[in-house]
Amino acid sequence: MAYRYGGAVALEKLLDYIPDSNGEQQRIQALMRKSRLSLAEAKEKYPDWYDRRVVKKERRGRWTVKRDLYDWWLHRIADEIKVGHRFYGIMTLAIYAKKCNIDEAELRRDAFDLLKPYDDMSEEDINRFTRTILCALWRCSTRTM
């Protein structure tokens, strides 16, 4: 059930209730400034964009990061990871691999190299780190790779 209280509120007024310290106000203001062109207007104003995105159906480009991020994280999870964080450490490695354009073969090799040390950390049979766990991760991450 929904109730109506008062009239419409301008988005600018709502910004007063968002903390300014973390950049959220600026992010929302940028969203509010986004163009509201119709597709026909966009075709006329931005013909190259229209051809790439609408006609050829190209996906939006991605921002990539240099490989150092991947290598830094791999080093950290090899040396510092604890039980309870192993799966998420490798999941983050897969995300960084995608961001840094690391090929899947290298990612798999690096992750499987961590399998034995990660499993050796297990103190109980209930939290073994096995090949099955890594395979579950691949099923999730390779959908976007």
Side-chain angles (χ1 to χ4, degrees):
M1 184 176 286
Y3 299 94
R4 180 176 212 133
Y5 292 100
V9 177
L11 288 173
E12 290 81 9
K13 181 68 176 156
L14 291 175
L15 287 175
D16 294 340
Y17 297 97
I18 297 174
D20 194 27
S21 60
N22 60 3
E24 282 299 303
Q25 280 188 4
Q26 292 83 359
R27 190 179 69 76
I28 292 171
Q29 286 171 331
L31 285 173
M32 290 168 36
R33 283 192 299 267
K34 279 197 170 184
S35 177
R36 306 245 189 263
L37 294 177
S38 70
L39 208 50
E41 292 169 323
K43 180 181 180 180
E44 175 137 347
K45 193 168 184 176
Y46 307 106
D48 293 340
W49 172 86
Y50 185 87
D51 185 55
R52 276 192 338 272
R53 296 294 305 279
V54 178
V55 176
K56 295 178 183 171
K57 301 199 183 307
E58 288 181 13
R59 296 183 76 179
R60 192 168 90 197
R62 287 186 311 138
W63 176 56
T64 56
V65 179
K66 64 182 181 172
R67 157 174 206 109
D68 294 356
L69 175 67
Y70 177 85
D71 294 334
W72 167 80
W73 186 251
L74 179 60
H75 177 71
R76 281 202 67 190
I77 64 173
D79 295 342
E80 301 174 24
I81 205 82
K82 304 276 189 247
V83 173
H85 302 279
R86 298 171 292 184
F87 183 85
Y88 295 105
I90 291 182
M91 181 181 68
T92 303
L93 184 68
I95 292 166
Y96 288 164
K98 178 79 170 172
K99 237 16 222 158
C100 299
N101 275 336
I102 305 295
D103 66 274
E104 188 177 346
E106 182 177 355
L107 169 63
R108 284 178 178 267
R109 193 171 47 253
D110 291 340
F112 279 103
D113 285 348
L114 293 170
L115 187 61
K116 180 164 177 19
Y118 277 20
D119 190 45
D120 289 346
M121 289 179 194
S122 302
E123 297 164 0
E124 305 169 9
D125 283 341
I126 197 166
N127 70 353
R128 305 300 305 184
F129 198 84
T130 63
R131 190 173 182 88
T132 306
I133 291 172
L134 280 181
C135 290
L137 175 62
W138 299 138
R139 280 193 292 279
C140 295
S141 67
T142 56
R143 288 183 188 143
T144 59
M145 294 219 47

